[in-house]
Amino acid sequence: MNFPVGTIVYFTPFYFPNGKSAPKNKYLIVLAHKDKDWLVASLPSSVDHVPNGVSQDHGCLSLPKAMVYAYIFEQGRPVTKEGWSFPLTTYIYTSWIEAFDKRIFTEVYSVEGVDYKVIGRLVQEEYQAVLDCALTSGDLKGRYRKLLQHVKY
């Protein structure tokens, strides 16, 4: 699995690496390739952790006092080159950005169209906005900050 950065993949279902969460259908957005064996990605969520009363406009949300840093994808707003949009308001919480072993992906998700579906690729402006948001957040893990600073679309 060597998807270009910005690719949105939908897994049916996604098996969480920690084994603590039950498998469920899940989107994954490829943010970077760490090397030939690892990809850095986000598992966006439709779960809203934004405090009540805070405006949830499309784009970067930074609430240091509440310790909430997220990129918000507005429901129905096209974000890919193909014109696809998330069916629900969806959040990338920067503290949830992780590295995933490509070998496990290849073993577990071997059949496109059955195990996963490639949704499309974020338009360059949207991808850059996601990166900029992550890089300015207060909770992005340091090991990913340097990597994301040098990613090319």
Side-chain angles (χ1 to χ4, degrees):
M1 289 193 163
N2 207 15
F3 302 115
V5 296
T7 301
I8 301 173
V9 183
Y10 187 64
F11 293 94
T12 55
F14 181 81
Y15 299 93
F16 292 88
N18 65 13
K20 295 178 184 173
S21 300
K24 67 180 192 177
N25 295 349
K26 198 82 178 136
Y27 293 102
L28 177 140
I29 301 176
V30 178
L31 299 177
H33 294 276
K34 190 172 176 189
D35 55 35
K36 68 179 180 60
D37 295 326
W38 292 89
L39 64 87
V40 175
S42 168
L43 296 171
S45 175
S46 60
V47 176
D48 179 355
H49 293 287
V50 178
N52 289 335
V54 173
S55 176
Q56 294 194 32
D57 300 324
H58 185 94
C60 194
L61 177 68
S62 179
L63 300 171
K65 289 183 181 179
M67 295 177 46
V68 174
Y69 301 92
Y71 190 87
I72 301 172
F73 293 99
E74 185 180 346
Q75 175 186 3
R77 181 175 175 154
V79 294
T80 68
K81 293 180 171 192
E82 300 78 15
W84 182 86
S85 60
F86 284 98
L88 301 170
T89 298
T90 300
Y91 308 83
I92 290 178
Y93 296 103
T94 56
S95 63
W96 296 4
I97 293 173
E98 288 293 339
F100 297 90
D101 188 331
K102 291 179 187 178
R103 295 168 296 188
I104 292 174
F105 275 91
T106 303
E107 292 170 11
V108 175
Y109 311 105
S110 56
V111 182
E112 183 173 357
V114 174
D115 299 319
Y116 68 93
K117 177 182 177 189
V118 176
I119 299 297
R121 191 173 184 201
L122 292 174
V123 294
Q124 187 169 0
E125 296 79 16
E126 193 78 39
Y127 173 74
Q128 191 59 54
V130 169
L131 282 187
D132 292 345
C133 185
L135 290 169
T136 58
S137 79
D139 64 356
L140 178 66
K141 295 175 183 94
R143 61 185 172 266
Y144 304 133
R145 188 173 301 279
K146 186 174 181 179
L147 177 67
L148 294 180
Q149 288 171 338
H150 301 287
V151 175
K152 301 285 186 240
Y153 183 81

